Amino acid sequence: MIVITFLDDSSITIEEDTVLNGYKNDSDDPKESYYLRQVYSNSIDGSEGDEASRLATVDGKIGVMGFILSVDCFSIGRNTESNILYRSSAVKSVENTNFSFG
């Protein structure tokens, strides 16, 4: 599993089948509503997408940290309407903890 630790020392755990959703700010037009555009949704094992998971790297923390660095914010889980949005810049560290790609 992978542990994401935030600046306030809270953390979340990511398993191979945990869905990560990535969002980017899409509010460039000052006359339009503020909006986030979903740019990614899949799990490390790729069970949520139609193509291979971009998160599945040889070292799990590398794929997850690359994902975090490429989005403005992210959420965890399939339900994208009632989950928490995390600001990517609030992440302090990503580490492997007994993680293997089996």
Side-chain angles (χ1 to χ4, degrees):
M1 81 182 130
I2 294 173
V3 176
I4 299 172
T5 303
F6 295 94
L7 295 172
D8 67 357
D9 284 328
S10 64
S11 62
I12 52 177
T13 301
I14 306 298
E15 303 285 345
E16 278 190 69
D17 61 349
T18 302
V19 177
L20 293 171
N21 306 292
Y23 301 89
K24 289 195 175 186
N25 179 11
D26 196 23
S27 305
D28 295 332
D29 187 342
K31 295 180 183 176
E32 295 293 325
S33 299
Y34 291 109
Y35 193 75
L36 291 174
R37 177 173 43 95
Q38 186 174 18
V39 295
Y40 188 81
S41 183
N42 206 344
S43 58
I44 293 171
D45 67 8
S47 62
E48 297 299 316
D50 294 334
E51 52 191 57
S53 175
R54 294 174 60 198
L55 298 168
T57 55
V58 173
D59 183 346
K61 72 179 179 283
I62 300 300
V64 172
M65 185 57 97
F67 162 77
I68 291 169
L69 290 172
S70 70
V71 297
D72 295 319
C73 58
F74 63 97
S75 67
I76 308 296
R78 290 178 182 90
N79 182 349
T80 58
E81 293 197 19
S82 62
N83 56 8
I84 298 170
L85 284 171
Y86 299 96
R87 177 83 186 218
S88 297
S89 60
V91 172
K92 178 170 75 174
S93 64
V94 175
E95 65 181 300
N96 291 329
T97 307
N98 300 328
F99 192 85
S100 72
F101 287 102

